């Protein structure tokens, strides 16, 4: 599965069900876009070091953007930018899930629900 940015933010903020969820997985993936979004929100290099250590402990794999992912994301932007206001990051994350044939777990499914070829799993922060 691919874990969306919001779930990792909740994990880093100490929300117990996000911690329990991620620690209960054998392995998960995240988009390089998610990785960069998390890093942009950090305050210092210690947070970056702790985040990278956590990714290692959690056996997380960062999915890089390749030609197939960028082509799919370009299609999503062409199809849904005007009608559903899809943003670049969400198009790339959603395309990563579709191309890799992995479900996307997110607390913010409204960003992806108009993508008919994506498998979404809703993450609830409160249970």
């Amino acid at each position: 599965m691919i874990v969306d940015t919001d779930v990792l933010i909740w994990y880093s903020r100490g929300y117990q069900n996000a911690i329990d969820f991620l620690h209960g997985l054998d392995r998960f993936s995240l988009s390089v876009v998610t990785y960069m979004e998390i890093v942009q929100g950090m305050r210092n290099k210690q947070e970056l070091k702790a985040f990278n250590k956590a990714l290692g402990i959690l056996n997380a794999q960062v999915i890089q953007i390749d030609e197939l992912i960028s082509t799919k994301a370009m299609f999503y932007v062409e199809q849904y930018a005007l009608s559903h206001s899809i943003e670049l990051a969400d198009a790339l994350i959603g395309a990563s899930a579709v191309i890799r044939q992995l479900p996307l777990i997110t607390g913010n499914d409204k960003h992806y629900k108009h993508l008919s070829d994506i498998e979404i799993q809703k993450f609830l922060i409160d249970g």
Side-chain angles (χ1 to χ4, degrees):
M1 88 173 25
I2 294 181
V3 175
D4 200 7
T5 309
D6 54 358
V7 178
L8 288 167
I9 289 171
W10 292 325
Y11 174 87
S12 68
R13 291 182 180 168
Y15 285 84
Q16 193 60 51
N17 63 331
I19 292 168
D20 293 344
F21 175 75
L22 291 178
H23 283 274
L25 299 174
D26 291 331
R27 179 181 187 97
F28 69 88
S29 298
L30 64 144
S31 168
V32 68
V33 175
T34 292
Y35 180 88
M36 291 186 288
E37 287 179 323
I38 299 287
V39 171
Q40 283 182 327
M42 292 182 177
R43 296 173 293 209
N44 55 52
K45 292 204 183 257
Q46 288 77 27
E47 286 185 358
L48 175 60
K49 186 176 178 180
F51 179 63
N52 282 320
K53 183 178 179 180
L55 290 179
I57 291 168
L58 294 168
N59 199 22
Q61 174 193 14
V62 177
I63 297 174
Q64 301 297 324
I65 297 168
D66 61 17
E67 185 176 356
L68 291 174
I69 291 170
S70 61
T71 299
K72 188 68 162 175
M74 184 173 67
F75 170 79
Y76 288 154
V77 169
E78 288 173 346
Q79 293 297 306
Y80 303 113
L82 296 175
S83 61
H84 294 86
S85 301
I86 192 167
E87 295 184 7
L88 174 64
D90 295 331
L92 287 165
I93 293 167
S96 297
V98 170
I99 295 299
R100 292 294 180 99
Q101 299 179 337
L102 295 169
L104 174 67
I105 183 139
T106 182
N108 219 338
D109 62 338
K110 69 179 181 178
H111 290 176
Y112 305 100
K113 66 182 178 183
H114 49 278
L115 308 180
S116 62
D117 52 352
I118 192 168
E119 180 185 344
I120 297 291
Q121 293 180 11
K122 176 82 169 162
F123 183 82
L124 301 174
I125 189 61
D126 295 324

